[in-house]
Amino acid sequence: MKLTIDLDKLLEEGEINHAEYEKFSRLAARNTASLAFNILIAFGVIAVSGGALALVPTPVTAFAIGLGICAVGIAIKKANNVQWMLFANICVLVGALMFGGGIITTDEGSVRSFLIVAVAFVGAGIFSIISLLFVISVLSISSCLGSRTGYIHATYFLGISEPTLTVVLFTIFSIGLYQLSKYLEADYQNMAITASRTVVFLVNFGFWVGSLWGDHKEGGEIFIPDEVFATLWAIALIAAGSWAWKRNRRWLVNIVAVFGAIHFYTQWFERLGASEVTVLVAGLLALGFAVWLRAMNARLRSDK
């Protein structure tokens, strides 16, 4: 277990004495030095790998280098050397990303390539016990349904080309991961829950896009109107929030609250437009919502 504490404040409040203060300070300095060393070594590995890739800029090079770095990182983690864990984690993540980039580039961004990357990241995540790899795996699977992001100067894009499939399939996926987590060991349980939470974001993004434009067939004909998505999204948020509240799932309560606010303001400005009055009222409601959410979090903490 790792904790973050303020030694100066604890000493001032009399929770620790000067001897304990000096002891913890020495331990903190030792860990800081080890952290800096790990980061420097990791940057060196990244620089060497980037240089090799620049000399031979092919997808096969990225694939091979990424696979090698990832294997080294997993081997170090399996050796269970605590001092090298940060370096090992960086190696696994950098190697996995290079490996995935090489696979996707080689297969020209096909659905097959994203599925291969998703499976590979799940495998690497299981061996290395790094939850972030499960998150990236979920995002790779979403790309198979046309989900994407984009950026141009000062503008970000979120694309969900199949909102209905995204909502239905990922809702099932999220529930399945949550149920699976109940039967796993602690480390793998956390990874499954992290993946499930990532899926919750994608479900809400699917609802969000659908509530604005609906779902269309290939010919452009509307398959499901935006009003249906808006209504179902509200029902889903209420149902998820009620379930989370009864079971004291604070993370889900907060996510429901955030996307509930996004849903409300999306429909508010979509239907009423942006004017002095609507912006003023929306701001007042946002302040009230923030106070309410803070009170709900305090109540959930007191119930634990």
Side-chain angles (χ1 to χ4, degrees):
M1 178 185 294
K2 294 183 179 180
L3 298 174
T4 301
I5 57 176
D6 187 335
L7 293 178
D8 294 320
K9 186 175 181 180
L10 290 177
L11 179 63
E12 181 181 337
E13 294 175 348
E15 297 293 336
I16 58 176
N17 56 39
H18 284 280
E20 292 170 331
Y21 177 86
E22 294 296 333
K23 177 182 179 181
F24 290 139
S25 296
R26 288 195 301 272
L27 292 174
R30 186 188 308 167
N31 288 334
T32 301
S34 177
L35 175 65
F37 180 73
N38 273 260
I39 292 175
L40 286 174
I41 293 294
F43 276 134
V45 171
I46 294 172
V48 171
S49 302
L53 185 59
L55 290 173
V56 188
T58 65
V60 176
T61 305
F63 169 85
I65 294 176
L67 188 62
I69 295 175
C70 188
V72 169
I74 292 176
I76 295 174
K77 286 187 70 69
K78 289 300 181 183
N80 203 27
N81 190 327
V82 178
Q83 292 184 342
W84 288 93
M85 280 300 168
L86 176 61
F87 172 68
N89 289 336
I90 293 174
C91 283
V92 173
L93 290 172
V94 171
L97 290 173
M98 291 184 68
F99 170 84
I103 292 292
I104 293 171
T105 304
T106 300
D107 211 10
E108 299 180 348
S110 66
V111 172
R112 175 178 56 191
S113 67
F114 280 107
L115 286 175
I116 292 174
V117 169
V119 173
F121 280 16
V122 169
I126 291 173
F127 281 107
S128 62
I129 315 180
I130 297 178
S131 298
L132 183 57
L133 289 173
F134 273 61
V135 173
I136 302 173
S137 176
V138 170
L139 297 178
S140 297
I141 294 173
S142 70
S143 297
C144 299
L145 298 178
S147 300
R148 61 197 181 278
T149 57
Y151 170 80
I152 59 176
H153 179 66
T155 306
Y156 295 87
F157 297 93
L158 168 68
I160 303 287
S161 59
E162 298 288 347
T164 303
L165 283 177
T166 298
V167 168
V168 173
L169 293 181
F170 281 105
T171 296
I172 297 172
F173 192 22
S174 179
I175 295 173
L177 284 170
Y178 175 73
Q179 295 298 327
L180 176 64
S181 69
K182 298 177 180 179
Y183 303 97
L184 300 176
E185 297 178 359
D187 289 334
Y188 298 110
Q189 182 182 74
N190 291 334
M191 296 170 70
I193 291 176
T194 300
S196 178
R197 289 175 173 178
T198 305
V199 175
V200 169
F201 277 93
L202 291 172
V203 170
N204 280 281
F205 286 150
F207 271 126
W208 193 7
V209 171
S211 72
L212 289 169
W213 293 284
D215 198 353
H216 296 72
K217 296 180 179 179
E218 292 185 3
E221 180 183 354
I222 294 179
F223 175 54
I224 300 178
D226 54 356
E227 292 86 354
V228 173
F229 276 99
T231 303
L232 292 177
W233 191 13
I235 294 172
L237 287 171
I238 293 171
S242 300
W243 180 88
W245 179 263
K246 292 179 180 178
R247 288 162 176 77
N248 204 21
R249 302 290 181 178
R250 187 153 52 127
W251 183 90
L252 186 56
V253 169
N254 281 280
I255 290 300
V256 167
V258 169
F259 278 106
I262 290 173
H263 184 16
F264 175 79
Y265 287 113
T266 297
Q267 307 311 317
W268 177 274
F269 289 112
E270 186 72 10
R271 268 63 180 177
L272 300 179
S275 65
E276 294 85 350
V277 176
T278 57
V279 172
L280 175 61
V281 175
L284 293 173
L285 290 172
L287 292 174
F289 174 75
V291 173
W292 174 82
L293 185 58
R294 180 183 176 86
M296 292 300 99
N297 274 279
R299 183 172 176 182
L300 283 174
R301 282 197 297 269
S302 64
D303 288 342
K304 286 186 177 181

